[in-house]
């Protein structure tokens, strides 16, 4: 199989992507159950976790209220539910984690089920920067009574994983791999294999090129300035630099920089 006339710019951009790049991450974890399972096991500490179902950009919510899209939604062999977010900014993380947890918990029981049947709900944010600047691998939050120093057992877990952490342990190696542009530099075989498919294998490269083309078509051809500006905001929020945003949206780097400056981004 050969690559179908890839645009050199697309190919170059693909080689720069990491797992913190939104639509690249989406492609990789959509393609590989093994990569999803590795990620879930490491961030939860559950070595025996088995991914039964998973999805990317899964929409959760209720009519007449705000809906959210989860980067990664997982159900394990026991029915426990996990929302894992890959995050490049630190804005409103606490409120977002709480809202995501509320949505998960509110949909955890089926009609007629007793509360004692409530399964575990996890909300995990993998943040590109250190959430609390304490150089810890992760920061966990539970319901806690300050006076009596007792935990309220809700089966709800909120955790922020430090993307800057590089300790000699599972999370340190995972975060190293998340920042790699070259899959050959990765520690974990599951991630190396999944990322290599979209960076080196003709079929995977063709798929990523098509995703890039679709992004470019959406930005250029819909003819609405508002749509292009929305895309630029989203790409910047996902950690993409100005030259790359310019390539994807058909702008110049100067135009992108001016837009971001005008909007205090």
């Amino acid at each position: 199989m050969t690559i179908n006339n890839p645009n050199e710019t697309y190919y170059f951009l693909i080689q720069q992507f990491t797992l913190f790049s939104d639509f690249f991450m989406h492609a990789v974890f959509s393609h590989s159950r093994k990569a999803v399972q590795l990620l879930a096991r490491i961030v939860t500490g559950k070595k025996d976790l088995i991914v039964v179902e998973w999805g990317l950009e899964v929409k959760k919510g209720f009519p007449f209220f705000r809906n959210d899209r989860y980067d990664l939604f997982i159900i394990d062999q026991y029915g426990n539910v996990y929302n894992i977010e890959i995050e490049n900014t630190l804005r409103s993380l606490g409120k977002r984690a709480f809202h995501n947890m509320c949505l998960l918990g509110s949909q955890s029981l089926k009609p007629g089920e007793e509360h004692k049947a409530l399964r575990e709900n996890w909300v995990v944010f993998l943040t590109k920067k250190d959430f609390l600047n304490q150089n810890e691998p992760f920061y966990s939050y539970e319901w806690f009574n300050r006076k009596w120093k007792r935990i309220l057992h809700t089966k709800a877990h909120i955790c922020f994983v430090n993307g800057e952490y590089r300790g000699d342990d599972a999370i340190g190696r995972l975060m190293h791999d998340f920042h790699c542009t070259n899959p050959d530099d990765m520690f974990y075989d599951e991630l190396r294999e999944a990322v290599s498919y979209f960076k080196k294998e003709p079929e995977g490269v063709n798929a990523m090129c098509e995703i890039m083309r679709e992004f470019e078509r959406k930005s250029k051809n819909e003819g609405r300035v508002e749509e292009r500006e929305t895309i630029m905001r989203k790409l910047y929020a996902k950690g993409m630099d100005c030259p790359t945003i310019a390539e994807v949206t058909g702008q110049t780097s100067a135009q992108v920089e001016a837009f971001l400056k005008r909007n205090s981004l």
Side-chain angles (χ1 to χ4, degrees):
M1 180 180 293
T2 59
I3 298 174
N4 298 326
N5 299 318
N7 183 302
E8 290 185 6
T9 299
Y10 293 153
Y11 185 75
F12 173 78
L13 293 176
I14 291 168
Q15 301 313 310
Q16 308 311 307
F17 287 152
T18 71
L19 289 172
F20 276 105
S21 303
D22 186 47
F23 45 82
F24 187 72
M25 173 277 296
H26 185 283
V28 169
F29 288 115
S30 293
H31 178 72
S32 175
R33 179 191 295 267
K34 290 191 296 183
V36 171
Q37 188 161 277
L38 172 78
L39 173 63
R41 286 179 173 181
I42 292 175
V43 299
T44 64
K46 296 183 176 184
K47 296 182 180 180
D48 62 345
L49 187 154
I50 297 174
V51 173
V52 176
E53 298 179 32
W54 87 100
L56 281 293
E57 297 293 321
V58 175
K59 186 176 181 180
K60 291 287 182 179
F62 297 96
F64 310 113
F65 293 94
R66 178 191 170 100
N67 295 328
D68 277 334
R69 291 185 183 273
Y70 295 161
D71 280 349
L72 182 56
F73 179 77
I74 300 168
I75 301 176
D76 72 10
Q77 71 269 40
Y78 302 113
N80 300 319
V81 179
Y82 308 82
N83 162 221
I84 300 178
E85 298 289 319
I86 314 300
E87 191 59 44
N88 285 280
T89 71
L90 300 178
R91 287 182 295 216
S92 303
L93 286 188
K95 293 182 176 66
R96 290 175 57 199
F98 175 74
H99 186 255
N100 285 13
M101 179 60 74
C102 289
L103 290 176
L104 282 185
S106 63
Q107 299 180 16
S108 293
L109 292 176
K110 297 177 181 178
E113 280 191 304
E114 297 289 337
H115 288 100
K116 64 181 180 181
L118 187 68
R119 300 162 186 85
E120 289 186 32
N121 290 277
W122 287 74
V123 172
V124 181
F125 276 70
L126 273 66
T127 61
K128 194 171 184 178
K129 299 294 184 180
D130 189 341
F131 177 57
L132 294 181
N133 293 314
Q134 298 299 315
N135 197 34
E136 293 291 329
F138 59 88
Y139 308 101
S140 297
Y141 292 84
E142 308 278 351
W143 292 98
F144 183 75
N145 183 291
R146 293 181 180 178
K147 181 177 181 179
W148 303 109
K149 302 188 185 307
R150 292 185 179 180
I151 293 177
L152 181 67
H153 297 288
T154 62
K155 293 195 173 181
H157 309 278
I158 293 176
C159 180
F160 298 92
V161 178
N162 175 10
E164 294 183 302
Y165 178 73
R166 294 294 185 277
D168 186 20
D169 53 23
I171 290 182
R173 290 187 285 273
L174 179 70
M175 292 300 94
H176 166 273
D177 287 1
F178 257 72
H179 284 272
C180 286
T181 56
N182 185 351
D184 293 339
D185 295 333
M186 292 181 166
F187 286 107
Y188 289 107
D189 293 340
E190 296 90 337
L191 295 180
R192 184 187 309 113
E193 178 182 331
V195 170
S196 293
Y197 174 76
F198 289 103
K199 285 180 178 271
K200 295 183 176 183
E201 297 296 324
E203 185 176 9
V205 172
N206 286 334
M208 279 307 305
C209 284
E210 185 54 40
I211 292 173
M212 298 296 290
R213 291 188 190 98
E214 181 59 30
F215 247 79
E216 190 169 15
R217 282 196 294 268
K218 188 173 182 181
S219 176
K220 288 182 178 179
N221 297 338
E222 290 193 2
R224 294 200 302 269
V225 173
E226 295 83 359
E227 179 68 22
R228 183 163 55 242
E229 290 181 347
T230 297
I231 291 173
M232 287 194 287
R233 284 191 182 93
K234 288 182 178 179
L235 294 179
Y236 182 74
K238 293 298 183 181
M240 194 173 284
D241 60 26
C242 288
T244 306
I245 295 173
E247 291 284 355
V248 173
T249 60
Q251 308 288 295
T252 66
S253 292
Q255 287 174 317
V256 173
E257 290 171 2
F259 168 76
L260 296 176
K261 185 176 180 179
R262 283 198 308 271
N263 289 271
S264 301
L265 296 175

